Amino acid sequence: DMTVDETFSTTLSSTVTDILRLNDGRYVIVGNFQTVNGVSRKRIAILNNDGTLDPSFDPGAGFTAQVNRVVLTPANKLLVYSLTSTAYNGVAKKYYYLINLDGTLDTSYDLPTKVPGFNPSSQCYSTIQDDGSVILVGAPTALISADNPNKTTVLRMMPDGTLDPN
């Protein structure tokens, strides 16, 4: 039997595209929303386990475009992915951001803006390995052709955001 927890209440201005439950019971939500419970939280927020906004996570200006995925790294940071080029709290990067649980940007993580044969603006999926490396699977537009429309690329990013040299 599943029952609805009526004590959990959150009001969002738009859609949520991904949700992540943290080890302490809080939830990270990402999407295209502008406000959470009437408070400005552009496209990323952390909710307490009762649905209230966690004020300890301050994303500042937040994201300028929709966010699609969020995963927790072994270092207890949020790896956030957007299908489009966006900026986070005024910092323009491409596609991936590493965010601390207080909302500050980890600037040590810098995914290359151009990876040969890989186009993260198309459909992309990712997972985190135990060492903090990220496996990316996506459509390599340079390799897509009428003869092979379903070919995909798999890449491994090291914990610091650099490409795996192997």
Side-chain angles (χ1 to χ4, degrees):
D1 267 346
M2 291 181 58
T3 59
V4 175
D5 181 354
E6 295 185 27
T7 64
F8 188 95
S9 178
T10 302
T11 303
L12 301 166
S13 62
S14 190
T15 57
V16 171
T17 55
D18 200 11
I19 186 167
L20 168 72
R21 186 165 195 254
L22 298 174
N23 296 331
D24 61 8
R26 294 179 299 158
Y27 298 91
V28 180
I29 57 172
V30 297
N32 202 30
F33 53 86
Q34 302 284 315
T35 62
V36 177
N37 296 337
V39 178
S40 178
R41 285 293 186 267
K42 293 190 177 167
R43 301 174 178 95
I44 187 168
I46 293 183
L47 304 176
N48 294 310
N49 62 5
D50 64 355
T52 59
L53 188 63
D54 180 351
S56 71
F57 180 81
D58 183 2
F63 283 97
T64 58
Q66 178 173 305
V67 176
N68 298 86
R69 292 272 295 138
V70 59
V71 292
L72 187 66
T73 70
N76 216 29
K77 297 182 182 198
L78 304 173
L79 183 63
V80 179
Y81 167 70
S82 175
L83 284 172
T84 59
S85 182
T86 185
Y88 177 73
N89 201 14
V91 178
K93 296 181 93 168
K94 295 264 187 174
Y95 311 112
Y96 279 90
Y97 292 80
L98 192 62
I99 300 173
N100 298 306
L101 288 178
D102 64 358
T104 58
L105 181 65
D106 182 337
T107 57
S108 69
Y109 189 86
D110 194 21
L111 182 71
T113 57
K114 271 293 196 196
V115 177
F118 188 74
N119 176 16
S121 65
S122 59
Q123 198 67 1
C124 181
Y125 299 94
S126 62
T127 189
I128 302 280
Q129 294 185 301
D130 290 342
D131 69 352
S133 297
V134 180
I135 302 294
L136 302 172
V137 180
T141 55
L143 301 177
I144 293 176
S145 68
D147 297 331
N148 196 0
N150 298 319
K151 190 165 184 153
T152 59
T153 294
V154 179
L155 299 173
R156 182 174 186 239
M157 305 303 298
M158 303 309 289
D160 64 357
T162 60
L163 280 171
D164 185 342
N166 297 319

